[in-house]
Amino acid sequence: MRNGKGIMAPGRILFLLLAAVLPLKAVAEEVPLPVSRYVESALADNPSLESMRERIRMKENAAIKAGALDDPKLRFGIVNLPTQSWDFREEDMTGKEIGISQMFPWPGMRKTREEMVLREKEEAEFVLEEMRNTLRSEIKMTYSELASVRKQIEAVRRSQDVLKDIVGITEEVYAVGKGSQPDVLRGQLEYGRMREMRIGLENREHVLSVRLNTLAALPADRPVPPLEDLPEIALPYGQADLVGIYEAERPARKALQARGHRGDSSIRMANLAGRPEFEVSVSYMQRDAMPDGTKRSDMVSSMVTMSLPIWRNGKTEPGIREMEAEKRMAGRELANLDLETSNSIGRSLATMKSRREAAVLYRTTLIPQAEQSFQATAESYRVGKTDFPMLMDSVMAILSFRREYAATVGDLNVEKTRLEATVGKELE
C-alpha cells in the first residue's frame, strides 16, 4: 500500500522480493528438444564422417586390387629376319611370333598384400566410430552447457526484474526524504551487476547455440528451441568397471590394435619381398615355306624367368626393420592411450562425485536454508528490525545459490559426457 505522499510501503517491497524467490508458475511453451535429435542430425549429415566413409570404401576396393594378379603381357614380334634380303623364307629360324606371359609372386604374397589393406580398412572403420563418438560427445557437452546457461539466465532475469522495481521504490522513498542514499546506491549497484551478468550469459548462450547448430549440421543462425532439464547424475560404475568398458568398447584403442595387426602383415610382406617372383611365358612362331616351296613347321616356345633378390642387405632387411619399428610404435601408442585413459577415468569420477555432492547440497540444504533466512529477514525488515542491505544480501544469496546449482549440474553432465568419450560408450 502507499502512504499519504504516494510512497510505496515496505510491504510492497516485501511482495516484490517474494516474487524473486518463489518458483515460476508453469506456462505453456514448446516441448523441449532432446539431445538425441541433434546427435541424429549430426551423424547423418556431417561431412567429415562422410569423408571417412569414402575412405573405407576406397580401402575395400584397394584390398581387391592388392590380391589380384598383375595383368598378363601379350607380345608380337618378328624373329631372325635377314637384313640383306628382308625375306621371311630365306632362313629356317625366321618367323612371326606371338606370345603371352604372366607374372606370379611368391606363394602367400598376394594374400599378405590383401591382408595389409584389409587391416587399414579395419583401422579406418574404428577411426570412423571414434569420430562418431567424439562428435556425439561434443554435441552432448554443448547441449548441457547451453541448458545450464539458460537456467542461469532465467535466475538472473528474475532477479533483474525484481531489482528494477526495488531500485525504483528506494529512489521514490529517498526523493521524499524517507529513505537513505546508501540504500539507493546499493540497489543501483546490484541492478548494474545483474545487467553485466546477464549480458555475459546471453553472449555465451549465443555462442553455444551457434556451436550446437554447427555441430549438428544445421544453419548456424537457427533458433535453438527449449532444451530438456539436466539431471543430477550418479553413475553405478567404479574405476575397474570403466576401464573394462574402455578396453572392450573404445574405438581408438581398437584402431591402434588394428594398426598393430597391420604391422604383423607388413613384417610378413617385407620378408616376402626378399623372395623371387616368377614370370611364365609361352609363344607361337609361324614360319613361311622355303624358297623351293617346301613347308616348314611352326614352332612353340615356353620359358620361366625369376627375379634374383641378391640385394637383401640393402633393400629387404631395412624394410623389415622399418615395419618392426612401425609395429612397436603402435604398441607404444596403445600403452600410452591406456595410461592416459586410466588417469582420465579417475579424474572424471572424482570430478563427478564432487559436482554431484555440491548439487545435492545446493538443492537440499543451501537453497532451502537461504529461502528460510530470507523469510526471517523479510519479516524483520517489515517490522523495522532489519536494514535494507541485510535484506538485499539474503535475496542475492538465494539467486547466487540458484545460479551455482544450475552451473554445477551443467558441469556434472559435461563431465559425464567427457567420461563417455573416454571409455567409448554412452553410460546410463
Side-chain angles (χ1 to χ4, degrees), residues 117-217:
V117 181
L118 288 175
R119 291 299 185 183
E120 292 178 2
K121 170 181 171 288
E122 182 183 22
E123 181 182 356
E125 289 173 337
F126 289 131
V127 170
L128 172 61
E129 191 61 31
E130 181 72 12
M131 291 173 63
R132 289 167 58 89
N133 286 351
T134 300
L135 181 59
R136 181 187 295 110
S137 298
E138 289 180 353
I139 290 175
K140 292 177 69 174
M141 285 190 285
T142 304
Y143 184 99
S144 298
E145 190 173 354
L146 179 58
S148 173
V149 168
R150 284 185 170 181
K151 286 294 184 181
Q152 296 178 61
I153 291 175
E154 178 185 330
V156 174
R157 179 186 56 77
R158 291 174 63 187
S159 65
Q160 190 178 18
D161 292 342
V162 172
L163 286 176
K164 182 178 181 181
D165 290 337
I166 292 176
V167 169
I169 294 170
T170 54
E171 289 175 345
E172 290 180 12
V173 172
Y174 178 69
V176 297
K178 298 293 185 178
S180 65
Q181 186 179 31
D183 291 349
V184 175
L185 296 176
R186 173 65 188 276
Q188 292 175 342
L189 175 62
E190 295 297 346
Y191 183 72
R193 289 175 58 192
M194 289 297 104
R195 287 184 59 189
E196 179 188 18
M197 193 179 301
R198 184 170 176 179
I199 289 172
L201 289 171
E202 288 177 345
N203 177 71
R204 183 61 180 163
E205 180 191 21
H206 176 72
V207 171
L208 291 171
S209 297
V210 171
R211 175 170 174 76
L212 183 61
N213 284 330
T214 302
L215 289 172

Side-chain angles (χ1 to χ4, degrees), residues 28-82:
E29 61 179 14
E30 297 180 62
V31 177
L33 193 64
V35 67
S36 59
R37 295 287 296 276
Y38 286 98
V39 172
E40 291 170 1
S41 176
L43 297 183
D45 299 324
N46 186 272
S48 295
L49 298 182
E50 188 57 36
S51 174
M52 183 54 67
R53 294 188 188 101
E54 291 294 343
R55 179 177 178 82
I56 292 172
R57 286 189 281 269
M58 179 185 72
K59 291 299 179 182
E60 289 175 351
N61 291 282
I64 298 174
K65 177 182 176 182
L69 286 171
D70 292 339
D71 291 334
K73 299 175 183 178
L74 184 63
R75 182 175 71 255
F76 297 94
I78 298 173
V79 181
N80 301 322
L81 179 65

Side-chain angles (χ1 to χ4, degrees), residues 297-347:
S297 299
D298 295 341
M299 304 180 73
V300 175
S301 300
S302 180
M303 185 179 296
V304 176
T305 60
M306 59 180 288
S307 61
L308 297 177
I310 61 176
W311 310 118
R312 182 177 180 88
N313 291 337
K315 295 175 62 177
T316 305
E317 294 295 343
I320 295 173
R321 292 194 295 270
E322 177 187 0
M323 296 302 102
E324 290 175 342
E326 182 178 358
K327 181 183 177 181
R328 289 195 300 271
M329 182 175 65
R332 300 288 190 275
E333 291 180 3
L334 178 59
N336 184 61
L337 180 62
D338 290 346
L339 185 62
E340 290 181 350
T341 298
S342 179
N343 179 58
S344 180
I345 289 174
R347 182 174 61 249

Side-chain angles (χ1 to χ4, degrees), residues 277-297:
E277 295 185 346
F278 303 91
E279 184 176 11
V280 179
S281 62
V282 62
S283 62
Y284 181 88
M285 185 173 68
Q286 182 270 326
R287 297 193 298 171
D288 291 347
M290 297 175 64
D292 60 3
T294 303
K295 290 187 177 181
R296 286 183 285 203
S297 299

